Amino acid sequence: MTFEERMVGRAIQESRAWPFDGDLTRRDEVVDPNFDPPRIVRRMGWLSCLRCTRPTFSEDVVCIRLCWACGGLGSVPVGTRLSTLPNIRWEAREP
């Protein structure tokens, strides 16, 4: 890398979000070419929201783990929310 190339900052190479295909293991790396060798700064992909367990796209799968509907920075989740049982308080009953 020449001195002139080091003086000019280059844009981070980031892919766009892809449609949900059911694969929660695929990850794309976001690379910063301003380092020699280029450095991976984060990974993006689909993951399961930690709160509602619906698939959501995250631009950083390590830091962003909640979907937009649950108050996180992920995308709008895919699918419907699973119905949960009502909150039942179990009280000790006398026989």
Side-chain angles (χ1 to χ4, degrees), residues 29-59:
E29 298 172 342
V30 178
V31 178
D32 187 358
N34 294 313
F35 293 93
D36 190 24
R39 184 180 294 178
I40 298 171
V41 291
R42 59 189 156 90
R43 290 177 172 82
M44 58 192 313
W46 286 91
L47 54 84
S48 181
C49 175
L50 289 178
R51 187 170 181 200
C52 67
T53 67
R54 294 183 288 179
T56 184
F57 189 83
S58 175
E59 293 184 1

Side-chain angles (χ1 to χ4, degrees), residues 4-93:
E4 289 79 20
E5 290 175 341
R6 292 180 190 201
M7 295 300 293
V8 176
R10 292 174 293 220
I12 292 179
Q13 302 167 358
E14 184 173 347
S15 61
R16 295 190 308 182
W18 57 89
F20 181 65
D21 57 357
D23 186 13
L24 296 176
T25 59
R26 177 182 166 193
R27 301 288 184 255
D28 278 355
E29 298 172 342
V30 178
V31 178
D32 187 358
N34 294 313
F35 293 93
D36 190 24
R39 184 180 294 178
I40 298 171
V41 291
R42 59 189 156 90
R43 290 177 172 82
M44 58 192 313
W46 286 91
L47 54 84
S48 181
C49 175
L50 289 178
R51 187 170 181 200
C52 67
T53 67
R54 294 183 288 179
T56 184
F57 189 83
S58 175
E59 293 184 1
D60 188 354
V61 294
V62 174
C63 295
I64 302 173
R65 307 287 295 175
L66 293 175
C67 67
W68 178 80
C70 291
L73 297 174
S75 68
V76 177
V78 176
T80 59
R81 182 180 295 226
L82 297 174
S83 61
T84 58
L85 294 173
N87 188 9
I88 301 173
R89 294 184 59 192
W90 295 96
E91 299 176 6
R93 296 184 184 175

